[in-house]
Amino acid sequence: MELFPRFVKPGNLIIKKLYDSAESSQSTFEPLVPNTPGLREQLVSFVKSINDAGGSYHRLSFGSGIVMEGEYDIRKYIDNYGVPKNLSGKSVLDIGTGTGFFALECIRRGAQVTAIDIWNADFYNKIREILCLNLKYIRKNIYELDESFGKFDLVICGSLLLHLRDVFGAIERIYSVCKREAIIATASIESQECNDRALCEFVGLKNTSIEGEYWVYWHLNALALQKMLLASGFSEAHEVGQFVLESEPGKSGFAVPHVVVKAVI
């Protein structure tokens, strides 16, 4: 059985795009930017400092030409995630927030957002200060989550599972903090030969970024992710999207098929 070569850079393999991204809503975070000239100047200065240092993980557009360059522009793929348009009054947990695209997007849609990741809080504190956001960031890894952390109406976990050794253990942690729904995206196995089987492929690939070395351990197909979610306690799990997550021009040149599954308590 030939599996698709997924996590590659140009020069190693010629990679074929499997799916075209859904039409992007092309939203920006301009509604979150204060009209205060001083704060806008701080934002411009902060964005420039990040760009001068090589950019961030997410490309973040704040409108009026204020763009934080990043490896991935999730705006191109957001319609594949099935995030509700209106999150007013909802609590959201963004697991593995990176540089905060989903946290900011959910705030833009009206949610109260808590975000976690393993990095220090400097970036998030600055964003929160400049944009005057009610954004709660906690330095924590996914395996430290349990019911004592609280329950959230919506839990989002984007492109994290592929970097974790214990995928099912992580999914159990997602369930433990979920009140209603969870949206999980991960690198996927795309082969017609394995659509009817739950399949996990061990990748074992080490890469290097500006933060240091990191590993890609697992790629899953949609059925495997669905079954893990059901086994963890969710009552429903269904696929809501597929896309190829591609690096922005001039970045690392990755093109990684992804699947998105929504689970319901």
Side-chain angles (χ1 to χ4, degrees):
M1 177 174 61
E2 181 180 355
L3 297 179
F4 187 82
R6 287 157 297 279
F7 208 85
V8 299
K9 296 183 181 181
N12 297 333
L13 284 172
I14 298 175
I15 192 164
K16 178 182 178 182
K17 182 186 283 192
L18 295 180
Y19 301 93
D20 290 325
S21 300
E23 181 69 18
S24 170
S25 58
Q26 291 300 308
S27 62
T28 73
F29 299 125
E30 188 165 16
L32 303 180
V33 179
N35 290 324
T36 309
L39 290 176
R40 184 172 286 270
E41 289 175 7
Q42 287 184 47
L43 177 62
V44 170
S45 177
F46 179 59
V47 167
K48 182 179 184 303
S49 70
I50 297 295
N51 289 344
D52 289 346
S56 65
Y57 181 76
H58 294 125
R59 186 179 191 271
L60 304 176
S61 175
F62 297 98
S64 302
I66 307 172
V67 177
M68 185 179 295
E69 299 299 339
E71 186 73 36
Y72 300 109
D73 187 353
I74 303 300
R75 292 181 307 162
K76 298 176 180 179
Y77 315 104
I78 187 64
D79 294 334
N80 292 282
Y81 284 82
V83 179
K85 299 291 185 185
N86 185 354
L87 289 170
S88 298
K90 303 297 184 182
S91 59
V92 172
L93 175 62
D94 180 15
I95 299 176
T97 187
T99 45
F101 174 86
F102 285 107
L104 294 174
E105 181 63 23
C106 288
I107 290 173
R108 192 181 70 83
R109 298 183 187 208
Q112 296 178 323
V113 177
T114 299
I116 70 166
D117 213 319
I118 60 174
W119 316 111
N120 69 52
D122 293 349
F123 178 90
Y124 311 95
N125 288 342
K126 194 67 175 176
I127 285 287
R128 180 173 53 204
E129 173 189 332
I130 294 172
L131 301 183
C132 304
L133 298 178
N134 183 20
L135 168 62
K136 186 177 184 180
Y137 175 78
I138 299 173
R139 189 174 185 177
K140 183 183 288 287
N141 76 58
I142 191 171
Y143 299 114
E144 296 173 314
L145 294 174
D146 58 30
E147 292 181 359
S148 67
F149 190 73
K151 298 268 189 177
F152 298 83
D153 295 311
L154 175 63
V155 178
I156 297 177
C157 182
S159 205
L160 174 64
L161 296 183
L162 68 157
H163 301 300
L164 303 178
R165 295 184 181 187
D166 179 9
V167 172
F168 183 64
I171 288 174
E172 289 183 306
R173 297 301 90 215
I174 292 173
Y175 175 78
S176 74
V177 294
C178 186
K179 185 190 300 184
R180 301 182 187 278
E181 292 184 333
I183 296 172
I184 298 96
T186 194
S188 60
I189 297 170
E190 302 303 336
S191 171
Q192 295 299 320
E193 299 176 46
C194 52
N195 283 347
D196 60 346
R197 289 183 293 156
L199 193 64
C200 307
E201 180 191 10
F202 184 75
V203 179
L205 178 65
K206 182 167 68 174
N207 281 296
T208 303
S209 70
I210 58 175
E211 289 86 15
E213 292 182 346
Y214 66 95
W215 284 83
V216 177
Y217 292 109
W218 297 102
H219 288 169
L220 316 176
N221 67 356
L223 187 56
L225 183 52
Q226 288 171 296
K227 286 192 170 185
M228 287 186 186
L229 287 161
L230 294 173
S232 73
F234 287 97
S235 64
E236 300 176 27
H238 60 277
E239 181 182 322
V240 293
Q242 295 184 28
F243 61 94
V244 176
L245 180 63
E246 296 185 90
S247 298
E248 285 296 283
K251 296 297 183 179
S252 300
F254 292 126
V256 187
H258 273 60
V259 64
V260 185
V261 172
K262 179 176 286 189
V264 180
I265 292 293

